[in-house]
Amino acid sequence: MMLHLLPEAVHMERAKHWRSTSQDRAETFEILGNGRSAKMGWAIEDYNESGAVGDAASASAQKGQRVVQAAGTSLAKLLTELHALTLPRAL
């Protein structure tokens, strides 16, 4: 997203693939590792000590633009639904 929104703030020379501890769990534990059956509380540092997770090296402005557009579309749908919702139905 940052490559799309503010590319001058991104240092792609520092980008790499940060492996997540959840990937390690998924390879070891059938239930704790599948992300569906048992949920664990976590902070981002629990997933990787760097505080980053994922393959930042494969990021692009085009991918970021698609994420921003999808988020905007979802937010617009949510606001439309909230506007259409009457209070008695919300309770």
Side-chain angles (χ1 to χ4, degrees):
M1 287 174 30
M2 290 300 293
L3 283 171
H4 169 63
L5 297 171
L6 193 66
E8 61 273 13
V10 178
H11 301 279
M12 284 302 290
E13 70 277 5
R14 298 180 189 170
K16 63 181 184 176
H17 188 165
W18 288 280
R19 185 170 169 87
S20 167
T21 58
S22 66
Q23 292 170 301
D24 297 333
R25 274 193 310 281
E27 292 171 359
T28 306
F29 301 105
E30 182 179 345
I31 294 176
L32 284 176
N34 71 18
R36 294 182 305 272
S37 300
K39 303 290 185 195
M40 299 178 67
W42 59 275
I44 193 64
E45 294 84 7
D46 296 333
Y47 279 88
N48 187 293
E49 65 184 28
S50 70
V53 174
D55 188 3
S58 69
S60 71
Q62 295 77 21
K63 290 176 183 176
Q65 181 180 23
R66 289 194 300 270
V67 170
V68 169
Q69 288 174 336
T73 298
S74 291
L75 177 59
K77 286 179 182 178
L78 172 63
L79 293 174
T80 299
E81 289 181 10
L82 287 172
H83 179 71
L85 184 66
T86 59
L87 192 54
R89 286 194 296 189
L91 301 175

